[in-house]
Amino acid sequence: MALEVEQKVANANIFAEQVGVEKEKVNAENESAKVEADKCAVIAKEVSEKQASCERDLAAAEPLVAQAEAALDTLNKKDLGETKSLKKPPPGVDDITAVVIILLEGNPKDKSWGAAQKLMNNVDKFLERLRGYKAVIDQGQVAKKTVEACRSYLELPHFNKEIIYNKSRAAAGLCEWAINIVKYYDVVSEVEPKRQELAAANAKLQEANTLLAAVQQKVAELNAKVEELEKQFNAAVEDKEAAIKESERCQLKLQLANRLINALASEGERWAKTVETLRANYDVLTGDMLLAAAFVSYAGPFTSKFRAGLIKEWIKFLSDKGAPMTEGIKDPLSLLVDNAIVASWVRQGLPSDPTSVQNGTILTNSERWPLMMDPQLQGIVWIKERESKNNLQVIRMGADNMTVVMERAIEAGHSVLIENMGESIDAVLNPVITRSTFKKGRNMYVKIGDKDVEYNKNFRLFLHTKLSNPHYPPEIQAETTLINFTVTEQGLEDQLLALVVNKERPDLEETKTQLIIQNTEFTIKLKQLEDELLYKLSTAEGDITEDVALIESLEESKRVATEISEKVVEARDTEVAINDSRNKYRPVAERGAMLFFLLNSLNKIHAFYQYSLNAFVTVFSRGLDLAPGGPKKKETVTLRQLQKRVSGNAEDFNEVIKKAKRQSSNTGGRMSKRTTAQSGFTAGVNPSMTGETIAEEEEETDMTPDQLEVRIGNLLDTCTFTVFNYTRRGLFDRDKLIVLTLLTFQIMLREGKIDAAEYDALCKGARSPAPPPITDDLSRWMNEGQWAAVDALAAVPGFGSLSKDLEKNSDEWYNWSNNEAPERATMPGDWGRMNDFKQLLLLRSLRPDRVTNALQRFCESIMGARYVNQDAFSPQAVVEESSSATPIFFILFPGYSPSKEIEQYARKVGKTVETGNLTLISMGQGQEGPAEAVLDKYMKEGGWVFLDNVHLMQGWIPRLERKLEYAAENAHKDFRCFFSAEPINGAPHAKIIPESILQTCIKISNEPPSDMKSNMRRAFAAFTPEAEDRLSTMTKKNAYKGILFGLCFYHSLLLGRKKFGTGIGTGSGSGLGFCRNYSFNMGDLTTCGDVLINYLEAYEHIPWDDLRYMFGEVFYGGHITDNMDRRCCTTYLQVLIRPEILPGGQLADASSWTTPQLDLAPGFKAPLPTSFDALHEYIENSLPAESPVVYGMHPNAELSLLTSLGETLFKTITLVSGGGAGSSGGGGAGEAAVRSALKDYMERLPEPFVMLEIEQRIKEKTPYVVVALQEATRMNALLDEMRRSMEELQLGLDGALNMSDKMEALAKGIATNTVPALWMTMMSTRIQEVFSLLGWYQDVLKRYEQLAAWTAGNLVTPNSVWLSGLFNPKAFLTAVMQTYARANKLPLDVMMFVTEVTTKTVEQVTEPAPLGCYVHGCVLEGARCVVLDGWCELVAVPAS
């Protein structure tokens, strides 16, 4: 190769010398040619200048020709004909014709009119000659003398168009033509010499060009010779260069090959593994894709826990069937997405928790349109960001422009999001939902209404609902992919951790965010580089080792990838350190997530208990801000704002890492240290009250681990109470203890302070279905239910010896159990040293009626008194917490009018109806328009509106919902919306108010509380010290405070007494409180307070009788309709409102006072009326514990009430928490427990009575036999329904039937040990409602045993009938009356019952009663039986 190159170089040099000699010859000839060319150029320039001059002159003559032709255009045959026909022309016309004759005929002698007529004889020919005269001039055929002969005529004054026109129009045209044609001739005559010069110059130029051409031809011949030599030279040079380039190319190719090998060496091993993996995956493709398809198709609607169970079951099923699957696969996400895709989703705003990633995977891989259940609005934020590049259109279902927007989007291929859907879909969208496209021509179409819309394949539809648990019909579920975007507890915990750290350590959270941004960017970039590398290699053409650009690009990609990989490792290591610092605050975030999910589960109790994530975060953040010792600068940041930060720009990586390392080195946290500079500031004085200026500086100092622990404790305390207080304010009074108990137990369970098994036992309150026989010693004070509960409790670790200890120390346990408040007494033996929670288990077994009181004390001791004692409602506090985006919802109760309270407070802050910035509207028919007008006005201008009784406007509430959604984004900052609605009694899950409104609003349930302290606190808070200023003397003022305290106590008695039941035989306590239900309210109390002031001021002495009459008969008595209730209320007043309520001594002189003699309740004397603050303090510190005795009732009055409340409480806790701590798992364990219990119940269910056989054995159809037949028929109906529903549930669990709502309710009842509603309706008595399912089932079996004995043989009535074990006890009592009446031939309508209580037990009754019938199973409420000398005496305490 080298010799060949040298030879070719020598040949090229020889050719170069020859070419040089010939080039010198050519250059000499080129110089000669250049001289000639210069000469030609000079001549050409002269020719060009002369030609331009001629053309300019000729161009100036063109207008003259145009004017002449225009003049000719004015001539026509008619005018010329008329003119030539004249025998004698008008004066001057003959001169014009004479000029025409001269020009056309060459100046003949005869220029007379006759000659003119002859010339014009043929008009057409005449005109043609006139028009062609210009060409004659151009050809030079017009003599100069001819034109000169015309000039004398042209100078005549009448040779003018305007003058001659009046004489002859034809002559005027000829005149104008003649003038212009002569002028044209003059111009042409002047140009003619220049034309001659131009012709001469052109001849000279042609001669010079001929000479130049000869020289150029000679040069061309020389150039051709040189060109031939150059071609030969170039060929030699090319051969030389080709040889050199080939040598260099070989060298370069070798180098590039080495670089390519080096660049791809590290990828080779990975690609080899990838190829092996792909080959292995090909073999398991079927099973993997089946799993992935099942996940995308079916997993969407379920929660994360249930999804995990489904995936586990699917993998097990496929494995058992032998389907080829990837070994060890646990998550189908690895088959559907990669880290880069997930990182891009996170950058777009999708939360990074596993469930959210699953949701994103399902949404992007599903062929059906996604329907997102997104109550926390986290999925919709991601969709709006993700689809913004596809021109996303956001609409509402049923909106006016819905179909128009949909049509345009389908045609253009844009994305559409239908947000905030209800539980139905507009029928017009069904073809779009179902993708019912059809082909027309070459395009696809879809029908919307009556219009065919062209379908673009890029169109995407997203359906969204804020409903947390919507119920869609099967066809919607089949045609869409339901995806549950409800936030998970772990996901929310991570988001709240970011919120907490952002408040406590904003620098730390900012760095964490930057690390997330860096990691996501790195992940995406690495994937892009890998894809680009493979793409370049796969699309490379030709020899890859010669593609320098490709190899350099691969080297650069590899360099960047290596650099990023190193940064990723460093960033992850740094992020671990940052996470360690952030995780110190995780207990606060964990508590927040627990609180939200607790709130989120309360809708199972009542439909009003709905809470949005945004509203919760606002309250949670406020709790963080209230924690002592934190930063004083309060910054409001939402989760959405924090999530948007992840979509921000990445900062310099090295700076972020430096900052992260510096922050992670601080093992504690940061605390704020404030320095206050103020002139004249003195300790103990609040500077804000002195009007002095304060300059505060806040500096951050590092916290020690101990200080950080204290800080976290403060955060936990304040955020927990703030959220609880916010929630409690909107709870019904009956639910407050339930929620507090749930909160307390959840906290203790998570902190490991109570055992999950013990908690489960407490919630379920199990009773052994077949306990061992109870001893005689225990049976004297313990019933069978208590003994069954003790036997079941023995299965809980630590309680195995309980039954033996009860038998051994029966007297001590009897004394403890007989205590009025056993929860306050010490338990016998070692049991008293058990922790408080375990004592609750014992209390529920032995004294279930005291569980609620014990729970209240337990929660108070764990959480603090403020969790139990609620402050009175304050409009100011509520309004300060609200904003224009937060409506305020008042729950209405009988006699309660929140609009008055709001109106009073609004007046204090300058909002009145008169000034136009407050409007109160009582909703009803026709009020929709005014309400919407006020809402629109105040949203723009600011103002308060109160919409009362919106529950009456069910058709209009959706419009209110949309208005409030608009207000949340666009309303004036001073806009406030208050509204009220009344719940439906007995229908806690009725959808009165839309879920979205309930989630965002502040809920106020200002229900009269049921306990004395809360009622007293609330009642006394309704009065202020300013009221006594209306009284003139100190004596009257002090009397006012004393009597007012008694009046508030009276008001509290009436409200608190309701909890013991209202109405005869209905409700908790069966009417022990009042015979009728009355709506006593705060209005009654405040009115009585005003009356008290008026009477005290009007009379010198206190009119006690008048006050009692006004209070008891007029105001409170105005509600009362029952005489017994009126007697009760007036008795209260006679006891309370009397002189003894005031202190002894001079009322005007406090120093002479002695303690009042009146006891308002046992152990609670009337207070000294010193001041309102002192009376408030007296309420808080001196009021005795809640007890029926406070209301003047026997302690036993609350037995039924408290037992019912306790059972309801634990049923609700079980309902909300899903069956205790141990039964919240998904799938397997829960279903197995249901199957086991179902099998047990079905095995123990007796066969129904054979009614035909029973009726055949009847000899006489007595009233008792009729009752027996009726009871047996009802028992059969119950047994048939139980057997049918259990068999149906068994088929459903086996997969043979679809699970219906009734089947799910039955399964849930079995799982939670609660009686299914369907079974309860078959045997509805009040006493049954407090049973657990085990107890209820045992009760059914006992009823069956009684009926089986009764209907056996000759249907003989039992010696003693278990009256409460009958479906219809009244029917049996009627049968007793009928039997006696028939035997004694007495009319039935005069019969009356006489009841005698004996000391016999059921076992002691061996024969029927001689008169009437023995019955057992009756209970007493509000009293107890004491056996004295063989008689049973009722013992009770009088009301006074």
Side-chain angles (χ1 to χ4, degrees):
M1 174 65 76
L3 292 175
E4 184 180 350
V5 171
E6 289 178 1
Q7 182 65 39
K8 290 184 177 180
V9 170
N11 293 337
N13 291 336
I14 295 172
F15 274 113
E17 293 177 1
Q18 294 176 358
V19 171
V21 172
E22 294 298 326
K23 276 190 174 181
E24 289 179 359
K25 296 178 182 180
V26 173
N27 290 338
E29 294 297 329
N30 276 337
E31 290 297 327
S32 300
K34 185 176 181 184
V35 172
E36 295 298 326
D38 291 342
K39 292 178 181 179
C40 291
V42 171
I43 297 171
K45 182 177 180 183
E46 293 175 356
V47 171
S48 177
E49 290 175 352
K50 290 178 180 180
Q51 185 173 358
S53 177
C54 291
E55 290 175 352
R56 282 196 301 271
D57 294 340
L58 290 173
E62 289 300 325
L64 299 175
V65 176
Q67 292 175 10
E69 291 178 350
L72 292 177
D73 290 339
T74 62
L75 298 176
N76 56 53
K77 291 182 179 182
K78 182 180 178 182
D79 293 339
L80 289 172
E82 290 176 356
T83 302
K84 78 173 183 177
S85 64
L86 297 174
K87 293 183 179 181
K88 182 179 181 179
V93 174
D94 52 346
D95 293 332
I96 294 170
T97 57
V99 171
V100 173
I101 292 172
I102 292 171
L103 292 172
L104 294 179
E105 300 297 332
N107 194 15
K109 291 181 180 181
D110 185 9
K111 307 181 186 67
S112 63
W113 174 247
Q117 287 178 319
K118 184 177 179 181
L119 182 64
M120 293 185 292
N121 188 38
N122 188 337
V123 175
D124 293 334
K125 186 176 181 181
F126 175 68
L127 289 174
E128 185 178 351
R129 291 187 65 187
L130 292 177
R131 289 188 173 91
Y133 198 73
K134 173 182 177 296
V136 176
I137 293 174
D138 292 341
Q139 294 171 5
Q141 297 177 5
V142 178
K144 184 177 182 181
K145 63 180 182 178
T146 303
V147 177
E148 291 297 328
C150 298
R151 295 190 189 281
S152 60
Y153 290 97
L154 297 177
E155 293 175 356
L156 294 175
H158 59 266
F159 206 95
N160 183 283
K161 177 183 177 180
E162 285 76 12
I163 296 174
I164 210 70
Y165 184 81
N166 296 326
K167 298 178 181 180
S168 172
R169 286 187 290 181
L174 293 172
C175 174
E176 182 70 14
W177 175 82
I179 292 171
N180 285 291
I181 206 67
V182 170
K183 289 181 180 179
Y184 177 73
Y185 175 81
D186 292 342
V187 173
V188 171
S189 298
E190 291 176 3
V191 174
E192 185 59 30
K194 294 182 180 180
R195 283 180 173 177
Q196 295 174 0
E197 292 177 4
L198 178 61
N202 282 329
K204 186 178 179 180
L205 177 62
Q206 185 176 3
E207 182 181 350
N209 285 335
T210 302
L211 180 60
L212 178 61
V215 174
Q216 288 177 339
Q217 183 178 1
K218 184 177 181 180
V219 172
E221 292 174 354
L222 292 172
N223 283 334
K225 185 177 181 181
V226 171
E227 185 179 357
E228 181 62 28
L229 291 173
E230 285 182 342
K231 285 183 179 178
Q232 296 175 9
F233 172 72
N234 290 337
V237 171
E238 287 178 358
D239 287 344
K240 178 189 72 173
E241 292 179 349
I244 294 173
K245 286 183 178 178
E246 180 64 21
S247 176
E248 292 176 349
R249 190 183 68 81
C250 290
Q251 287 289 352
L252 179 61
K253 186 173 183 180
L254 183 59
Q255 294 175 2
L256 292 175
N258 289 331
R259 290 169 61 184
L260 181 62
I261 291 172
N262 293 332
L264 300 181
S266 60
E267 298 293 330
E269 184 179 352
R270 185 173 65 85
W271 287 344
K273 291 182 179 178
T274 303
V275 170
E276 292 178 6
T277 302
L278 290 174
R279 287 173 178 167
N281 289 346
Y282 182 78
D283 296 333
V284 296
L285 191 62
T286 304
D288 286 354
M289 291 303 100
L290 185 58
L291 175 63
F295 176 76
V296 172
S297 300
Y298 302 117
F302 303 109
T303 61
S304 59
K305 189 174 292 185
F306 203 92
R307 286 181 188 177
L310 280 176
I311 294 171
K312 186 177 180 181
E313 289 293 326
W314 289 338
I315 293 174
K316 182 177 181 299
F317 174 81
L318 291 172
S319 299
D320 293 344
K321 296 296 182 181
M325 293 179 63
T326 300
E327 186 176 355
I329 188 171
K330 294 182 178 179
D331 190 356
L333 291 188
S334 59
L335 306 171
L336 298 167
V337 292
D338 54 38
N339 293 335
I341 294 176
V342 174
S344 67
W345 292 348
V346 172
R347 292 282 282 153
Q348 291 166 351
L350 182 71
S352 58
D353 62 279
T355 303
S356 297
V357 174
Q358 288 181 353
N359 292 334
T361 303
I362 296 171
L363 185 142
T364 54
N365 285 280
S366 175
E367 284 295 318
R368 296 173 294 179
W369 301 133
L371 173 50
M372 302 184 294
M373 297 178 287
D374 186 23
Q376 286 81 39
L377 304 181
Q378 299 206 3
I380 194 174
V381 172
W382 172 57
I383 288 297
K384 287 181 177 179
E385 179 65 27
R386 172 183 168 81
E387 294 298 321
S388 58
K389 62 181 181 295
N390 296 328
N391 196 14
L392 179 68
Q393 305 294 311
V394 182
I395 57 176
R396 295 283 182 114
M397 187 69 68
D400 297 336
N401 64 338
M402 180 184 72
T403 54
V404 176
V405 172
M406 188 68 72
E407 290 170 4
R408 292 175 180 173
I410 292 174
E411 290 177 342
H414 297 156
S415 299
V416 174
L417 169 63
I418 303 179
E419 65 174 353
N420 198 13
M421 287 173 45
E423 294 184 344
S424 61
I425 293 180
D426 198 324
V428 74
L429 296 181
N430 281 341
V432 182
I433 301 295
T434 58
R435 299 172 184 254
S436 301
T437 57
F438 56 91
K439 195 168 186 179
K440 184 190 292 186
R442 295 184 177 181
N443 300 323
M444 300 300 294
Y445 286 81
V446 66
K447 198 172 191 66
I448 298 183
D450 57 354
K451 185 176 181 181
D452 293 342
V453 180
E454 186 176 348
Y455 189 86
N456 191 313
K457 65 179 182 179
N458 295 323
F459 168 72
R460 292 276 290 164
L461 177 63
F462 302 91
L463 307 173
H464 168 266
T465 179
K466 283 199 264 184
L467 301 177
S468 56
N469 188 25
H471 292 78
Y472 289 107
E475 56 270 19
I476 293 180
Q477 298 186 44
E479 298 295 344
T480 62
T481 299
L482 269 69
I483 307 177
N484 189 354
F485 269 86
T486 304
V487 66
T488 62
E489 187 166 353
Q490 183 59 48
L492 180 59
E493 182 180 321
D494 292 337
Q495 296 180 54
L496 291 179
L497 178 61
L499 178 69
V500 175
V501 177
N502 186 72
K503 281 185 171 293
E504 296 295 306
R505 292 283 305 277
D507 57 330
L508 196 65
E509 188 57 32
E510 182 181 353
T511 305
K512 168 68 175 178
T513 302
Q514 276 300 316
L515 287 173
I516 293 175
I517 294 174
Q518 299 280 359
N519 283 331
T520 54
E521 288 291 334
F522 290 159
T523 304
I524 295 171
K525 186 64 177 176
L526 279 174
K527 179 63 176 176
Q528 290 176 348
L529 291 173
E530 292 174 3
D531 292 344
E532 288 175 3
L533 189 148
L534 291 173
Y535 176 77
K536 289 176 181 178
L537 290 174
S538 63
T539 57
E541 297 180 355
D543 191 347
I544 193 173
T545 59
E546 296 180 356
D547 194 339
V548 179
L550 172 62
I551 294 176
E552 289 179 348
S553 175
L554 294 178
E555 287 180 330
E556 177 63 17
S557 298
K558 185 60 183 175
R559 183 192 64 79
V560 174
T562 303
E563 181 181 348
I564 289 177
S565 298
E566 293 173 354
K567 288 182 176 179
V568 166
V569 174
E570 185 177 6
R572 286 177 178 169
D573 292 341
T574 307
E575 188 174 5
V576 169
I578 287 290
N579 287 339
D580 289 340
S581 297
R582 293 174 77 249
N583 285 337
K584 293 182 174 68
Y585 295 94
R586 186 167 289 277
V588 184
E590 184 181 354
R591 177 68 58 84
M594 182 271 290
L595 288 170
F596 175 74
F597 276 87
L598 175 61
L599 265 61
N600 210 34
S601 62
L602 297 184
N603 57 12
K604 298 176 183 177
I605 302 176
H606 200 282
F608 283 175
Y609 301 162
Q610 304 280 354
Y611 303 90
S612 72
L613 181 58
N614 290 336
F616 168 79
V617 169
T618 301
V619 179
F620 182 74
S621 298
R622 186 164 63 243
L624 298 177
D625 292 338
L626 292 174
K632 300 304 175 185
K633 183 180 179 182
K634 311 301 183 186
E635 181 184 4
T636 303
V637 180
T638 64
L639 293 183
R640 188 171 301 178
Q641 290 171 334
L642 289 174
Q643 191 65 37
K644 280 186 176 181
R645 292 182 182 179
V646 182
S647 304
N649 297 323
E651 297 178 0
D652 182 70
F653 176 76
N654 294 326
E655 290 297 324
V656 173
I657 295 298
K658 287 180 183 178
K659 188 188 299 183
K661 290 180 178 179
R662 184 170 61 253
Q663 292 166 351
S664 60
S665 63
N666 174 23
T667 57
R670 288 177 180 261
M671 64 181 296
S672 296
K673 181 179 180 181
R674 299 178 64 185
T675 58
T676 305
Q678 174 196 338
S679 59
F681 175 68
T682 55
V685 180
N686 185 351
S688 62
M689 298 176 65
T690 64
E692 300 176 42
T693 303
I694 304 173
E696 289 188 354
E697 295 181 358
E698 187 173 312
E699 40 182 66
E700 291 186 345
T701 59
D702 291 342
M703 283 193 287
T704 65
D706 291 340
Q707 290 174 328
L708 179 61
E709 185 177 355
V710 172
R711 174 64 182 160
I712 291 175
N714 291 335
L715 290 171
L716 287 170
D717 183 46
T718 54
C719 72
T720 304
F721 178 73
T722 303
V723 172
F724 174 76
N725 197 40
Y726 167 82
T727 309
R728 174 174 61 180
R729 192 167 50 196
L731 297 176
F732 293 103
D733 193 59
R734 63 178 179 267
D735 298 327
K736 291 176 181 177
L737 180 58
I738 294 174
V739 175
L740 176 57
T741 304
L742 273 168
L743 174 62
T744 305
F745 286 161
Q746 285 294 327
I747 291 174
M748 297 183 72
L749 278 169
R750 290 170 184 264
E751 293 179 351
K753 294 182 178 179
I754 57 177
D755 182 71
E758 293 175 355
Y759 173 66
D760 200 48
L762 178 66
C763 290
K764 291 184 176 179
R767 295 186 180 185
S768 177
I774 187 172
T775 64
D776 294 338
D777 197 22
L778 290 177
S779 63
R780 65 186 178 88
W781 61 271
M782 182 186 296
N783 59 38
E784 293 180 358
Q786 291 172 310
W787 179 245
V790 167
D791 186 60
L793 186 60
V796 178
F799 294 89
S801 61
L802 177 60
S803 56
K804 292 183 180 179
D805 191 76
L806 285 169
E807 296 172 0
K808 180 179 179 181
N809 303 300
S810 176
D811 291 338
E812 295 181 24
W813 281 106
Y814 167 74
N815 293 331
W816 174 83
S817 179
N818 203 38
N819 195 302
E820 290 185 2
E823 71 276 8
R824 299 176 183 272
T826 303
M827 288 187 177
D830 293 337
W831 304 99
R833 289 188 285 274
M834 299 177 71
N835 62 44
D836 292 343
F837 183 80
K838 291 185 176 181
Q839 291 189 23
L840 286 175
L841 285 166
L842 280 170
L843 196 68
R844 185 167 190 206
S845 299
L846 297 173
R847 285 294 300 273
D849 58 300
R850 302 303 301 176
V851 168
T852 52
N853 297 74
L855 281 173
Q856 187 164 336
R857 293 185 71 245
F858 178 79
C859 294
E860 183 174 359
S861 65
I862 299 296
M863 305 297 293
R866 58 180 179 169
Y867 283 84
V868 176
N869 302 322
Q870 183 178 1
D871 294 332
F873 168 66
S874 170
Q876 178 181 355
V878 173
V879 173
E880 287 176 353
E881 292 179 16
S882 68
S883 67
S884 59
T886 312
I888 301 173
F889 168 44
F890 288 89
I891 302 173
L892 292 178
F893 301 98
Y896 173 57
S897 177
S899 58
K900 293 181 180 178
E901 294 178 295
I902 296 300
E903 185 177 12
Q904 291 174 359
Y905 174 70
R907 190 172 296 277
K908 293 181 182 178
V909 296
K911 308 285 185 184
T912 62
V913 176
E914 294 76 15
T915 56
N917 52 12
L918 173 68
T919 301
L920 307 173
I921 301 178
S922 181
M923 300 305 294
Q925 187 174 3
Q927 294 299 320
E928 302 94 330
E932 291 187 27
V934 170
L935 286 169
D936 293 338
K937 176 184 176 183
Y938 285 171
M939 280 191 283
K940 293 179 181 178
E941 303 173 2
W944 293 8
V945 58
F946 196 112
L947 306 176
D948 212 356
N949 299 310
V950 297
H951 59 281
L952 303 177
M953 311 293 291
Q954 287 300 305
W956 179 76
I957 286 182
R959 293 187 61 84
L960 173 64
E961 178 183 14
R962 185 65 186 126
K963 293 281 185 185
L964 293 178
E965 287 178 357
Y966 177 82
E969 299 176 359
N970 306 293
H972 190 279
K973 64 177 182 179
D974 291 333
F975 171 74
R976 294 293 185 277
C977 179
F978 306 83
F979 66 97
S980 64
E982 185 176 333
I984 300 176
N985 289 332
H989 298 290
K991 296 181 179 179
I992 302 172
I993 305 295
E995 186 174 320
S996 62
I997 297 181
L998 291 171
Q999 286 181 341
T1000 57
C1001 70
I1002 295 176
K1003 290 172 276 292
I1004 307 297
S1005 175
N1006 199 17
E1007 180 183 10
S1010 60
D1011 65 292
M1012 176 59 69
K1013 180 173 282 190
S1014 298
N1015 271 315
M1016 278 295 293
R1017 188 185 295 119
R1018 183 170 179 264
F1020 205 72
F1023 301 94
T1024 61
E1026 289 76 14
E1028 63 178 344
D1029 294 339
R1030 295 163 54 187
L1031 297 167
S1032 56
T1033 65
M1034 186 58 67
T1035 298
K1036 294 180 178 179
K1037 291 180 179 181
N1038 291 331
Y1040 167 71
K1041 291 194 286 282
I1043 299 174
L1044 180 64
F1045 191 90
L1047 178 62
C1048 290
F1049 192 79
Y1050 170 71
H1051 176 82
S1052 302
L1053 284 173
L1054 298 188
L1055 294 181
R1057 192 178 175 97
K1058 289 184 179 181
K1059 68 183 178 184
F1060 297 102
T1062 57
I1064 303 299
T1066 61
S1068 298
S1070 296
L1072 292 181
F1074 291 106
C1075 297
R1076 300 287 182 268
N1077 189 21
Y1078 305 113
S1079 57
F1080 304 125
N1081 55 72
M1082 292 296 294
D1084 299 326
L1085 176 63
T1086 53
T1087 304
C1088 289
D1090 292 336
V1091 169
L1092 175 61
I1093 292 176
N1094 294 336
Y1095 271 65
L1096 290 176
E1097 186 63 23
Y1099 293 93
E1100 186 67 25
H1101 300 288
I1102 301 174
W1104 296 101
D1105 292 335
D1106 293 348
L1107 291 176
R1108 283 192 292 267
Y1109 179 81
M1110 293 298 294
F1111 298 162
E1113 298 292 342
V1114 178
F1115 296 107
Y1116 286 94
H1119 296 280
I1120 300 173
T1121 57
D1122 187 270
N1123 289 331
M1124 299 300 292
D1125 292 335
R1126 185 178 301 277
R1127 187 177 74 169
C1128 174
C1129 294
T1130 55
T1131 302
Y1132 275 140
L1133 284 173
Q1134 290 170 3
V1135 172
L1136 299 174
I1137 307 302
R1138 57 185 185 182
E1140 289 81 358
I1141 198 172
L1142 299 176
Q1146 298 295 323
L1147 281 178
D1149 182 11
S1151 62
S1152 66
W1153 289 352
T1154 59
T1155 304
Q1157 298 301 310
L1158 179 64
D1159 284 341
L1160 298 176
F1164 184 59
K1165 285 191 173 294
L1168 294 172
T1170 52
S1171 67
F1172 274 80
D1173 290 339
L1175 294 175
H1176 278 292
E1177 187 176 351
Y1178 190 75
I1179 293 173
E1180 297 296 331
N1181 300 329
S1182 302
L1183 199 65
E1186 187 74 6
S1187 167
V1189 177
V1190 175
Y1191 300 91
M1193 304 173 74
H1194 190 272
N1196 287 355
E1198 63 180 357
L1199 283 175
S1200 176
L1201 165 70
L1202 294 180
T1203 302
S1204 175
L1205 289 178
E1207 292 297 331
T1208 302
L1209 183 145
F1210 285 111
K1211 279 185 181 180
T1212 307
I1213 288 177
T1214 302
L1215 172 69
V1216 171
S1217 61
S1223 59
S1224 58
E1231 182 178 326
V1234 172
R1235 284 180 178 273
S1236 175
L1238 183 63
K1239 180 181 179 182
D1240 176 63
Y1241 288 140
M1242 292 183 69
E1243 288 176 351
R1244 291 198 290 147
L1245 189 69
E1247 292 295 326
F1249 296 106
V1250 182
M1251 298 303 298
L1252 182 61
E1253 180 187 342
I1254 294 175
E1255 289 176 355
Q1256 289 176 349
R1257 289 189 273 106
I1258 297 175
K1259 296 180 178 179
E1260 181 183 359
K1261 211 166 190 179
T1262 65
Y1264 291 134
V1265 171
V1266 172
V1267 171
L1269 292 175
Q1270 292 174 347
E1271 291 292 317
T1273 303
R1274 292 187 178 183
M1275 176 60 73
N1276 280 352
L1278 174 62
L1279 296 176
D1280 289 342
E1281 177 58 35
M1282 292 174 67
R1283 179 172 284 100
R1284 184 202 64 79
S1285 59
M1286 286 193 288
E1287 289 175 349
E1288 188 179 61
L1289 176 59
Q1290 185 65 58
L1291 292 173
L1293 293 175
D1294 293 339
L1297 289 177
N1298 290 329
M1299 291 290 287
S1300 64
D1301 292 340
K1302 291 182 179 179
M1303 294 160 67
E1304 288 184 357
L1306 177 58
K1308 186 174 183 180
I1310 294 174
T1312 59
N1313 195 25
T1314 56
V1315 185
L1318 183 62
W1319 292 1
M1320 183 65 77
T1321 56
M1322 305 296 292
M1323 187 175 63
S1324 180
T1325 59
R1326 192 187 63 79
I1327 194 64
Q1328 298 292 326
E1329 296 171 4
V1330 300
F1331 276 177
S1332 64
L1333 178 57
L1334 283 172
W1336 182 89
Y1337 200 89
Q1338 195 66 25
D1339 182 80
V1340 170
L1341 296 181
K1342 288 182 179 179
R1343 289 171 179 242
Y1344 182 86
E1345 290 175 2
Q1346 174 173 266
L1347 284 175
W1350 193 348
T1351 56
N1354 296 327
L1355 278 71
V1356 178
T1357 306
N1359 295 333
S1360 177
V1361 175
W1362 178 27
L1363 189 63
S1364 55
L1366 300 179
F1367 288 94
N1368 188 3
K1370 290 183 179 180
F1372 179 77
L1373 296 178
T1374 303
V1376 175
M1377 295 175 64
Q1378 289 177 335
T1379 301
Y1380 184 82
R1382 290 177 183 178
N1384 295 278
K1385 298 181 180 180
L1386 296 173
L1388 192 62
D1389 56 352
V1390 299
M1391 301 295 295
M1392 292 181 63
F1393 274 109
V1394 176
T1395 304
E1396 177 184 347
V1397 181
T1398 71
T1399 60
K1400 296 179 180 179
T1401 63
V1402 177
E1403 292 76 13
Q1404 293 173 338
V1405 178
T1406 57
E1407 57 184 17
L1411 189 64
C1413 184
Y1414 288 119
V1415 296
H1416 63 275
C1418 299
V1419 295
L1420 286 173
E1421 290 185 338
R1424 60 194 174 98
C1425 244
V1426 178
V1427 178
L1428 297 172
D1429 298 328
W1431 292 92
C1432 186
E1433 181 180 347
L1434 296 182
V1435 179
V1437 177
S1440 60

